[in-house]
Amino acid sequence: MDDLTASPASEVPFRISFSGHGGHLRLDPTPSPPSPVPDFVLPPAYPPESPSSVKEYLEDNYLNPELYIPTAANDARVWDVDWFDLARPPLEPSAPRTMLVPAWEPPFRRRPSTSAEEPQVWDPKSVQMEMSQVFDSGTGGMVPRMPGPAKDFVRGRVNSRPFRPGGLQDDAAEAAALEKAFPESARNGDWVRELMSGGPALIAPPGFPKGIDLGQLKEYNSHWKCFRDGEQVEEQPASSSNDTMDKYSVQFDDLFKISWEEDDVNIVSREDDGEHLARDEGTNAFHFPFADINEQKVDKLQDGSETLARDKHEVNVIGDASEAQMDLDKMLSSEVQDTRRETSGLGDDKPAQEGKDWALVVGDDGIVTNFHKLVPDMAIEYPFELDKFQKEAIYYLEKGESVFVAAHTSAGKTVVAEYAFALATKHCTRAVYTAPIKTISNQKYRDFCWKFDVGLLTGDVSIRPEATCLIMTTEILRSMLYRGADIIRDIEWVIFDEVHYVNDAERGVVWEEVIIMLPKHINIVLLSATVPNTVEFADWIGRTKQKKIRVTATNKRPVPLEHCLFYSGEVYKVCEKDMFLTQGFREAKDAFKMKNSNKFGAKPGTKSGTPAVRSGTQGRNPDTSSKGRDQKHSKHHHTNSGAAAIQQSTSGPRRSDLIWMPLINNLLKKSLVPVVIFCFSKNRCDRSAESMFAADLTSTSDKSKIRVFCDKAFSRLKGSDRNLPQVVGIQSLLRRGIGVHHAGLLPIVKEVVEMLFCRGVIKVLFSTETFAMGVNAPARTVVFDTLRKFDGKEHRKLLPGEYIQMAGRAGRRGLDTIGTVIMMCRDEIPEESDLKNLIVGKPTRLESQFRLTYTMILHLLRVEELKVEDMLKRSFAEFHAQKDLPQKEKLLLQMLRQPTKTIECIKGEPSIEEYYDMFLEAEEHREFVTEAIMQLPTTQQFLAPGRLLVVKSKTDDDHFLGVIVKNPSSALKQYVVLVLTGDSTSSALDPNLSNQNEKGTGVSQQGYLVIPPKGKRGMEEDFFSSGRTRKSSGVINIKLPYTGDASRMGFEVRAVETKEIISICTSKIKIDQVGLLEDISKTSYTKTVQMLIKEQSDGKYPPALDPIKDLKMKEMDKVERYYAHVNLLEQMSKNKCHGCVKLKEHKLLMKEQKVYKDQLDQLKYQMSDEALQQMPQFQGRIDVLKEIHYIDSDLVVQLKGRVSCEMNSGEELITTECLFENQLKDLEPEEAVAIMSAFVFQQRNASEPSLTPKLADAKKRLYDTAIRLGQLQKRHEVPVDPEEYARDNLKFGLVEVVYEWAKGTPFADICELTDVSEGLIVRTIVRLDETCREFRNAASIMGNSALFKKMEIASNAIKRDIVFAASLYVTGI
């Protein structure tokens, strides 16, 4: 019985104990005899502390650096030790957040001394200030923030604040920070006056209870020399009272403050600026920042006012005297108050930066000559001699400056990028290489990974993001900047490759955003092909970032090019060494003429040898022949892969495709292979390669290399994917030395073609233009299939920049002495002017493609320190307007300083302003009514020759009586009117005619008619006879305007606009139109003038036709305007200025003042944010975001706005509304990811998919949402067409394909569901995975766990097989 009640502890002896200082319970088996009660071991107690033990603890843990070496004793395993990663350096003390600064007080505000015997010692009060307020003057980082979580170190997060962009200056914040750190009295001359006048020195530093008394400061004797009109008038001791000196316009304090402010501005912008403020104790001399003012005399101030200059005998001369004189002259050139306003009121471009060239073109041969002395310790050595532009760029990289390198393709720009990587490695910082195309990123990763510690970041790949050198797409870098990734702190260099890609209409804006957003500490390296406005673009970057950009460029090609035409089996050289060869072009033309004359028969009159069919081929591919083969074989034109846009004119391989064999044979004979043939259609590339079915261009060893390489590359594909038609077909072509490269290929197939071409086993490669942009693979020869392309909108000629980019692939550096470029000519020879422009013309300029996006607006609204207006101002599109701002600000200040003329009224209080306002309003009504009257049908019955009019004078300050001489015609669409201008200017002159008629009437060159002697006058001119036997032909033989005199009255014949007509009179006179305009009769002019004088003999004009009664004007608004005009005239007649003798003079003064005010307002508008090009669209987009609750009325970003910031793949508004309307709730993961493909699919003309009912409903909901958003934007005046907006941002062509793929259907089967090429399918699904990740992040922000899980399932469903096969560049082969 006792055995049955034994304790369990007797079977398993153990003890309970506490482990370590944390007190964790631990069970330990014990060998001791069994006991019914387990042993209890007390925890170890802390040893008693003593000063020595505390000291030892601090030294061991914080003061002595050590290496933590893992051992078997504490870790049970031993790893290879990275000594640098495991180093434990001593911890630096944390930087203080606040500091004490003295609160400066001017001497006159200090409390006076209580004792006359003891001098008053000033004890300044100390004020506690934030360190950021003292040392951050507005140009550094934004509000300091702690580093975020490690998982967000590279990508950042939407809640993080972006770093402050470099060059973004907030003058108000900077002035406030400067005022806090250095009070007003500390920045003027008070403290200098105290220092020079002697007295007690300060003793206690800020925060200290006491200090060291160094005694009295030494006083320096000085006096003022006072000048008036250049003559010294008196001398005053320096201790004179302020009242005595106040009568002078410039004080020493003012000069000192101006110098302080100017020096503060210049210290950043001027290199090697040696101006400083220092006390030389050895010589007791005081050095001023504005250089020498010893014995300087200033003769004049502005407007010749009183002047003065201070002479101080104990001042040492430093700096350059002439420069100092110029600085003082500049300081004294205007009133102190204006100067102070000018220096404080400027914007981003400060006075010292006006007219500054931020782009500095490098051209110093000394850098190349002494390169190894200037850069003795290079960060990386090169086994070859560097070119001139490479040495210049490396020299400035070593100096820590930004560079812009412009050179031709294959010139060696990558060397500069490599050196930036090497510098980052040497400096233990980071460098980022950005490229516009993912292919370039992958290829650069492969090239650099053998030399540097490289990581790769693209939309779907993240390899070693912690590496020193990162390669990424530009979109990834933009996202990191907006999301405030902490890795930005470590970046020293950002390299932009293929900068000319900024011209891309869709993605060029990304480049501008990134350049603007880069922080101040990051230097920029720009690599570009040759463009004509390199300096302009670099100047924009420098002005935006407020740093100098060194521009180094070369037009020299490492391998010179020759350009040829291929026609009828012969090659004609038309350009060599950038010189167009007219002889070669003529030979090609002659061959063309001879062939066509034999074929069609001689046809004279054909222009420049161009066949008559040329005019009929405009807008089509030039391959189209004159027999209309494109119409005959149009059924063979494929519509998939964008090929429908480019209509090929061939009849399959039977005609034009077979032309490749003569060319290839010609190139093989001359050893001009490998060759890249650029075709501007994916289908054209495929058909051209298939047409060479009989060609075999490889040797046995080449075939073996190709087979082994392809087997290794495609071995990573599963069985069904290896048998895809594209994979099998490309291997058949490759074994014969023929390759195809275009966007329709699978990514792995494209990489295989690229790598084999670089190895030299592919002899002929048919490619689209993307090969020239995305692959660094030069060839021996480049061939252009045609010189026209379809750019997505229209067929057009190649641009010089596009031609140069592709032609630059010809010529392999180190292998070829010359590169050959051949242009195919089938049915015509290009015009000589077109060829010249294409080959030797200027490439395309860099143009801004900046546009506002909702994502950009939302990102910037999250940060108070950054405004959207700042982004708009700093775009390349606004560069010239912002560059001119300093000049406009100067002009504005000058206009504000101009004295305005006052109007002195002789009748008491002036009311000319009221009168002039009524006059302007009346003129506005009159012009409106006149225009309305002229459109009335009844008016034309009255406006006949002979009708009297009252018209305005040219100066708009008077009006004259006139008569219609001629109605408007097709030649002159204005009325020809003879008006009386006033008394005759000369009694010796009569009407003067500008032309000489057939009867010999004399006309002077000045336009005045000279009266012939009486004996030589015609008999008809002795009388006022106007009888004419012929009608007027409508010809005007006088030059308008035509002036003259008759009957002591001046007249003028001129053309009159309808708005110049004040009224139509009821009177009508008889005129001689032939004598006035054709035969130029003096008699006719005299008679007409006399009749007009008679009509106003009583000093009044004839009565005018009433617009309502006589002209039958009945429309309500026009009648109201007419009566408003009449009422204003009545009010004007009651004004006391009406009839004043000085009315005309005062009206002119008011006109000048109004012009002045309008110019002032226009100048202010141009300097304001309202003048920005995209400001109206910005306001409309803000209203849209408010209405759909992305932001509130205070522009604070709401939850929907934060979610929208996560959306980068599709249109941000549509995707966000889709989420918040929960449109994916009822869909399975496969269906959800299928409908999401509409956000990322790009091709327009895909076949219509077959959808399930649920997918069809989801498609309709999403499309309706897009239409609603488009209508909303249109309502707020955003330039959007709702239907086009929905079509452009939602393309449902691959919904069925993605749905089947997510369900597990093999890739070969889904390709049968659509006419979209395999490469585009893969690219869409890869981008769709990134979209799933964005939706998942958005669901996390929204708190939608169901959507989060659904997106995870969808992402895993599509990530499989050939679609997500790893890149050969990344994994190797």
Side-chain angles (χ1 to χ4, degrees), residues 270-281:
R270 292 186 180 179
E271 278 191 341
D272 304 326
D273 187 0
E275 296 178 346
H276 64 281
L277 193 62
R279 176 82 180 270
D280 188 350
E281 298 180 357

Side-chain angles (χ1 to χ4, degrees), residues 688-689 692-693 695-698 730 732-740 761-766:
S688 297
M692 298 180 62
F693 55 87
D696 191 349
L697 309 177
T698 56
I730 197 66
S732 174
L733 288 173
L734 292 175
R735 283 193 289 269
R736 294 187 285 114
I738 302 170
V740 177
V761 294
I762 295 180
K763 309 302 179 184
V764 178
L765 177 64
F766 294 94

Side-chain angles (χ1 to χ4, degrees), residues 569-707:
E570 298 293 333
V571 176
Y572 303 91
K573 186 184 300 185
V574 294
C575 184
E576 186 177 19
K577 297 180 180 180
D578 293 333
M579 295 293 295
F580 192 81
L581 306 178
T582 308
Q583 181 63 30
F585 177 79
R586 289 176 180 173
E587 292 176 0
K589 276 289 188 182
D590 293 341
F592 172 81
K593 292 178 181 179
M594 183 177 298
K595 181 177 180 179
N596 281 275
S597 62
N598 294 335
K599 185 174 182 179
F600 301 108
K603 292 185 178 181
T606 303
K607 181 180 179 181
S608 301
T610 304
V613 74
R614 176 176 173 80
S615 60
T617 61
Q618 296 298 322
R620 298 196 303 268
N621 193 289
D623 296 342
T624 306
S625 68
S626 58
K627 293 187 177 181
R629 282 186 295 272
D630 58 332
Q631 288 86 2
K632 180 179 180 180
H633 299 283
S634 60
K635 62 182 179 180
H636 297 292
H637 294 168
H638 301 283
T639 59
N640 61 327
S641 304
I646 303 181
Q647 298 182 1
Q648 299 294 340
S649 59
T650 64
S651 56
R654 292 193 299 270
R655 166 60 171 82
S656 63
D657 287 335
L658 296 180
I659 199 173
W660 295 118
M661 286 312 301
L663 174 64
I664 300 303
N665 292 332
N666 191 317
L667 297 178
L668 288 172
K669 291 178 182 179
K670 299 179 180 179
S671 299
L672 295 180
V673 291
V675 56
V676 177
I677 301 176
F678 286 109
C679 306
F680 300 105
S681 162
K682 295 190 287 287
N683 284 346
R684 176 70 174 164
C685 291
D686 293 335
R687 292 206 319 269
S688 297
E690 293 170 1
S691 69
M692 298 180 62
F693 55 87
D696 191 349
L697 309 177
T698 56
S699 62
T700 305
S701 61
D702 289 341
K703 285 182 171 61
S704 176
K705 294 178 182 178
I706 294 171
R707 183 175 62 255

Side-chain angles (χ1 to χ4, degrees), residues 74 187 192 218 250 339 359 377 463 589 699 717 761 764 839 919 936 946 1020 1028 1138 1283-1284 1307:
N74 51 21
R187 288 182 286 144
V192 180
K218 179 182 177 180
V250 178
T339 308
D377 183 20
I463 301 175
K589 276 289 188 182
S699 62
L717 303 179
V761 294
V764 178
I839 299 174
F919 168 74
L936 295 174
E1020 72 280 6
R1028 297 279 175 176
H1138 192 71
E1283 293 289 340
E1284 186 177 351
F1307 189 81

Side-chain angles (χ1 to χ4, degrees), residues 64-71 81-89:
N64 296 329
E66 63 175 353
L67 294 175
Y68 170 69
I69 305 177
T71 62
V81 177
D82 187 343
W83 299 93
F84 294 98
D85 288 344
L86 298 177
R88 289 180 178 175

Side-chain angles (χ1 to χ4, degrees), residues 65-134:
E66 63 175 353
L67 294 175
Y68 170 69
I69 305 177
T71 62
N74 51 21
D75 290 289
R77 289 184 61 187
V78 178
W79 288 272
D80 294 334
V81 177
D82 187 343
W83 299 93
F84 294 98
D85 288 344
L86 298 177
R88 289 180 178 175
L91 297 178
E92 297 181 1
S94 59
R97 295 185 178 181
T98 60
M99 68 177 296
L100 293 175
V101 297
W104 188 274
E105 292 180 358
F108 57 85
R109 291 184 181 174
R110 301 172 190 168
R111 288 177 298 176
S113 175
T114 57
S115 174
E117 299 177 356
E118 297 180 1
Q120 174 68 28
V121 177
W122 176 51
D123 185 15
K125 297 179 180 179
S126 298
V127 180
Q128 186 173 351
M129 296 184 63
E130 296 286 340
M131 294 289 291
S132 59
Q133 294 178 346
V134 178

Side-chain angles (χ1 to χ4, degrees), residues 478 663 722 759 787 859 885:
R478 177 184 63 171
L663 174 64
R722 294 181 195 173
R759 298 189 180 194
L787 298 181
H859 274 299
L885 274 184

